[in-house]
């Protein structure tokens, strides 16, 4: 066994046995099954982590949170964020070519830097960077023109906002119960930005992050869900809203057994990091991605595969290659992937499989040596 192949199987073993946390669900699946059908059929989405952290190629937000870099040094990246090679039409073409049915764009990470011209404070790429333009609308428009559903990643936490309890610029913190008025101010700000996104871009899917820092009651998660559905009753919400989401979202770790909840999605990096980091060349091979993809589909789930554009907006060639190779495979084998349901339980076939919706056809995915004929 080659060293590279050994590392692949070792990493897969770690993924399988690292556990899979089941989210608490407060939503009756029978109430949402109609709107969830497109998601169940989609199977493949592309995650796009794009932000100022790509300028220096460092951890998105976490690099100053974990004190790898000072807050001031981190925010200095605003000056170098040009997006002058950000080409939404070409990116949408690549996503469409991959076979993906939806794409999720980071509208704002934990650092608080919005990728649209928010009226709730000037910390956005339109007002504070050389990019000077809304990066969301042209991509969402291009995706919709190609029949690809649109998703909006949004961080509930904002480590750059003075009223957020985890504000780290001066390492100050407060308990919500001790300063409720301050917390209300933050929620007003956060919900204002959500209103902007809902009104201006009307995403098909909301991909929240950061809910772990506060309870459902503190976030008013139930009210947030109700508000977003008032804008679009068919919008889908991921499982990171303290139980008020529509589907589970395991991160990096593949479930040991089929998840009990009906809808789920594995979000996975192309290499070891979400955003662009030039030193990270540990890209998964097309074979590895396809193997993980078919495993997820076999369990009745989706794969949300991440890419990280450079600071100028261009896509690393390794990620372009991954999406193109995935697209080539999907063109030939898509019948057994898209619009299918989970395959046979282990004991009948010890590999990935799917079934047609009417259960008249079974599709088996068999690993084989190939020269890119798939």
């Amino acid at each position: 066994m080659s060293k590279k192949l050994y590392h692949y199987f070792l990493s897969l073993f770690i993924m399988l046995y690292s556990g899979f946390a089941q989210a608490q669900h407060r939503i009756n699946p029978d109430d949402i099954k109609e709107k969830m059908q497109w998601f169940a059929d989609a199977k493949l989405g592309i995650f796009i982590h794009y932000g100022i952290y790509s300028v220096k190629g460092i951890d998105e937000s976490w690099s100053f949170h974990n004190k790898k870099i000072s807050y001031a040094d981190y925010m200095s990246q605003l000056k170098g964020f040009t997006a002058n090679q950000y080409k939404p039409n070409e990116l949408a073409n690549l996503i469409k070519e991959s076979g993906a049915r939806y794409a999720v764009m980071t509208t704002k990470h934990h650092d608080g830097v919005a990728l649209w011209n928010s009226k709730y404070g000037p910390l956005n790429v339109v007002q504070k960077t050389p990019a000077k333009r809304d990066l969301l609308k042209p991509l969402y428009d291009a995706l919709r023109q190609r029949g690809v559903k649109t998703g909006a990643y949004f961080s509930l936490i904002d480590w750059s906002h003075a009223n957020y309890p985890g504000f780290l610029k001066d390492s100050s913190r407060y308990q919500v119960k001790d300063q409720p008025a301050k917390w209300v101010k933050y929620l007003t700000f956060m919900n204002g930005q959500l209103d902007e996104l809902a009104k201006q871009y009307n995403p098909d899917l909301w991909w929240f992050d950061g809910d772990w820092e506060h309870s459902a009651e503190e976030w008013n998660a139930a009210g947030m869900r109700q508000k977003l559905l008032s804008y679009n009753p068919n919008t889908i919400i991921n499982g990171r809203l303290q139980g008020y989401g529509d589907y589970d979202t395991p991160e990096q770790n593949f479930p040991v057994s089929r998840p009990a909840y009906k809808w789920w999605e594995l979000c996975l990096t192309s290499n070891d990091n979400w955003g662009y980091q030039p030193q990270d060349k540990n890209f998964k091979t097309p074979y590895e991605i396809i193997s993980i993809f078919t495993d997820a589909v076999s369990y009745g789930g989706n794969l949300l595969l991440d890419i990280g554009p450079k600071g100028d907006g261009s896509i690393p060639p390794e990620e372009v290659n991954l999406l193109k190779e995935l697209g080539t495979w999907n063109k030939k084998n898509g019948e057994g992937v898209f619009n299918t349901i989970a395959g046979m339980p282990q004991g009948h076939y010890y590999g990935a499989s799917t079934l047609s919706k009417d259960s008249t056809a079974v599709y088996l995915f068999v690993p084989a040596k190939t020269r890119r004929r798939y």
Side-chain angles (χ1 to χ4, degrees):
M1 182 183 295
S2 70
K3 184 177 180 181
K4 187 173 184 179
L5 191 60
Y6 167 77
H7 282 304
Y8 166 59
F9 282 116
L10 178 60
S11 64
L12 186 59
F13 178 88
I14 293 171
M15 288 174 66
L16 285 168
Y17 286 91
S18 59
F20 175 72
Q22 294 287 345
Q24 178 186 6
H25 286 277
R26 307 172 194 241
I27 308 303
N28 185 344
D30 290 336
D31 295 338
I32 60 173
K33 61 183 179 181
E34 290 186 12
K35 77 168 186 177
M36 293 300 296
Q37 192 57 57
W38 77 258
F39 181 83
D41 292 339
K43 307 304 180 188
L44 179 63
I46 302 301
F47 213 172
I48 308 163
H49 269 70
Y50 190 32
I52 66 169
Y53 40 83
S54 58
V55 173
K56 291 186 177 181
I58 56 178
D59 296 341
E60 59 287 342
S61 305
W62 292 100
S63 52
F64 70 84
H65 178 280
N66 295 328
K67 303 188 185 304
K68 293 182 180 178
I69 186 174
S70 70
Y71 179 82
D73 285 346
Y74 181 92
M75 298 308 291
S76 71
Q77 294 176 105
L78 288 165
K79 299 176 181 178
F81 189 77
T82 65
N84 58 12
Q85 294 300 313
Y86 177 65
K87 300 176 180 178
N89 283 310
E90 291 184 11
L91 178 54
N93 284 338
L94 181 62
I95 290 170
K96 179 70 174 180
E97 184 180 351
S98 75
R101 301 316 199 237
Y102 62 106
V104 178
M105 177 69 153
T106 50
T107 66
K108 187 185 79 166
H109 209 272
H110 311 328
D111 57 16
V113 181
L115 298 194
W116 77 100
N117 190 18
S118 176
K119 68 179 182 181
Y120 290 89
L123 190 54
N124 62 72
V125 298
V126 181
Q127 299 183 44
K128 290 292 186 179
T129 76
K132 295 188 180 302
R133 57 176 170 142
D134 179 346
L135 302 183
L136 302 181
K137 189 178 188 304
L139 178 61
Y140 286 159
D141 287 348
L143 290 169
R144 286 178 167 137
Q145 289 167 7
R146 291 157 179 79
V148 179
K149 298 281 189 181
T150 60
Y153 168 106
F154 182 85
S155 172
L156 298 171
I157 57 183
D158 188 328
W159 290 329
S160 287
H161 197 279
N163 288 320
Y164 186 75
F167 182 51
L168 298 180
K169 189 174 182 180
D170 59 1
S171 300
S172 64
R173 297 188 70 90
Y174 71 88
Q175 295 293 320
V176 172
K177 63 180 181 180
D178 297 329
Q179 298 189 48
K182 195 172 185 179
W183 179 242
V184 168
K185 288 182 180 179
Y186 175 74
L187 290 183
T188 300
F189 159 79
M190 182 194 74
N191 279 285
Q193 289 198 323
L194 288 175
D195 288 334
E196 286 182 330
L197 290 169
K199 291 176 182 177
Q200 296 179 38
Y201 311 107
N202 189 27
D204 299 297
L205 182 151
W206 291 90
W207 212 102
F208 288 115
D209 200 9
D211 69 332
W212 65 81
E213 290 207 347
H214 298 283
S215 67
E217 291 71 28
E218 287 180 340
W219 287 123
N220 186 23
M224 195 185 308
R225 176 184 176 88
Q226 184 178 13
K227 177 180 69 172
L228 296 177
L229 291 178
S230 73
Y231 286 112
N232 179 358
N234 293 316
T235 197
I236 292 172
I237 299 171
N238 78 330
R240 300 187 182 187
L241 193 59
Q242 289 290 355
Y244 287 92
D246 298 316
Y247 68 95
D248 284 333
T249 315
E251 182 174 315
Q252 301 283 54
N253 300 321
F254 197 88
V256 176
S257 58
R258 291 184 185 180
Y261 197 70
K262 186 174 180 63
W263 302 286
W264 68 278
E265 159 201 85
L266 170 66
C267 57
L268 184 77
T269 53
S270 296
N271 49 11
D272 293 332
N273 291 279
W274 296 102
Y276 172 69
Q277 296 199 26
Q279 80 285 355
D280 184 359
K281 298 298 183 181
N282 191 31
F283 287 94
K284 299 172 182 67
T285 66
Y287 175 81
E288 291 168 356
I289 293 295
I290 291 167
S291 297
I292 296 169
F293 178 39
T294 54
D295 282 343
V297 172
S298 179
Y299 274 15
N302 293 3
L303 174 66
L304 183 64
L305 180 64
D306 181 70
I307 60 173
K310 299 179 181 180
D312 63 5
S314 60
I315 310 300
E318 297 91 344
E319 294 177 346
V320 172
N321 178 64
L322 278 178
L323 296 193
K324 286 181 175 291
E325 290 291 296
L326 187 53
T328 298
W329 187 88
N330 279 326
K331 285 180 182 178
K332 184 171 183 179
N333 302 285
E335 178 185 338
V337 174
F338 302 103
N339 304 302
T340 62
I341 58 177
M344 296 183 294
Q346 290 184 353
H348 298 277
Y349 173 65
Y350 287 97
S353 67
T354 58
L355 296 170
S356 60
K357 288 182 180 178
D358 61 7
S359 298
T360 61
V362 59
Y363 302 93
L364 307 180
F365 299 93
V366 183
K369 292 183 178 180
T370 177
R371 292 185 178 179
R372 198 179 168 273
R373 295 177 184 176
Y374 300 130

